[in-house]
Amino acid sequence: GAGVSQSPRYKVTKRGQDVALRCDPISGHVSLYWYRQALGQGPEFLTYFNYEAQQDKSGLPNDRFSAERPEGSISTLTIQRTEQRDSAMYRCASSRWHGTQETQYFGPGTRLLVL
Amino acid sequence: AQSVSQHNHHVILSEAASLELGCNYSYGGTVNLFWYVQYPGQHLQLLLKYFSGDPLVKGIKGFEAEFIKSKFSFNLRKPSVQWSDTAEYFCAVNGANTGNQFYFGTGTSLTVIP
């Protein structure tokens, strides 16, 4: 079946604009994660959902960042009033569970550039 | 602080050389361990994973990793690398003590010279 998809793949925006990044997980995957990855670094956790419930948002850097997954499938990460420091690759992953074992599958990412 | 360390930031090898990439973590309790690979221009792909059982885990493309609990390590190995193994490799950890979050290392860039 199809993997995790993200859109747009690339986004260039001006400082102060709002952006919405979309993630379409693998069908049937319960959990969905958002990460941010700066150049030369590993993915950094932002937030995750089980179904439509946001379980943990401790990684969101500030209140300009928010995420939702209203129907337990597609998720949107929104960054309001973007700043240049928000420029990064934003990765989404969905995961399947076998008992207590969870395996994540990543999408291609959205590269955000804030000018 | 909880962390995942990959001490090798950039590794350059000739084809057919053996590979070992280090990964150490600092979480207590039960952990699950993963290695991901990112080939140039592609997204993160799962290479192998460890949940429990045999600490020597075999993954795709001839890779393997050994979980050594006493050393808090999960090093990635391959006996003979190929040019096509050129990629970025990330170690990741999750578990009960991480709040089910996944924590990633900073990655190791591997360049294999033909």
Side-chain angles (χ1 to χ4, degrees), chain A residues 40-112:
Chain A
Q41 300 295 316
E44 174 192 19
F45 170 83
L46 295 178
T47 184
Y48 89 96
F49 296 82
N50 281 342
Y51 300 104
E52 72 282 358
Q54 191 170 21
Q55 299 292 322
D56 186 339
K57 56 181 181 179
S58 62
L60 296 177
N62 52 60
D63 60 8
R64 295 186 296 105
F65 286 73
S66 62
E68 62 176 9
R69 194 187 184 197
E71 298 179 359
S73 180
I74 294 169
S75 177
T76 303
L77 176 70
T78 301
I79 309 173
Q80 296 179 310
R81 305 180 302 281
T82 53
E83 300 178 4
Q84 288 183 330
R85 59 178 173 159
D86 299 333
S87 297
M89 175 72 84
Y90 289 83
R91 297 193 183 277
C92 173
S94 68
S95 64
R96 66 177 184 184
W97 290 80
H98 288 296
T100 59
Q101 299 177 356
E102 182 182 10
T103 303
Q104 287 193 334
Y105 297 86
F106 281 83
T110 294
R111 186 168 294 282
L112 174 66

Side-chain angles (χ1 to χ4, degrees), chain B residues 5-107:
Chain B
S5 299
Q6 292 182 242
H7 303 293
N8 314 106
H9 297 295
H10 198 157
V11 173
I12 302 174
L13 294 173
S14 298
E15 274 193 319
S18 64
L19 170 71
E20 181 160 4
L21 302 182
C23 173
N24 290 90
Y25 62 94
S26 63
Y27 304 103
T30 302
V31 291
N32 303 311
L33 299 153
F34 307 82
W35 275 98
Y36 285 86
V37 60
Q38 185 174 11
Y39 298 104
Q42 298 187 27
H43 57 277
L44 283 165
Q45 301 172 39
L46 183 66
L47 201 53
L48 49 78
K49 58 190 176 185
Y50 171 82
F51 290 116
S52 63
D54 188 344
L56 185 61
V57 179
K58 295 193 183 298
I60 60 173
K61 303 185 181 185
F63 285 90
E64 65 180 30
E66 185 175 13
F67 170 50
I68 303 178
K69 188 174 182 179
S70 61
K71 295 184 177 180
F72 295 87
S73 70
F74 189 57
N75 292 355
L76 181 71
R77 300 195 293 247
K78 185 171 183 178
S80 176
V81 294
Q82 302 173 316
W83 175 78
S84 59
D85 294 325
T86 295
E88 190 93 15
Y89 292 82
F90 294 93
C91 179
V93 174
N94 94 320
N97 288 350
T98 72
N100 286 334
Q101 294 182 17
F102 284 71
Y103 289 92
F104 285 78
T106 54

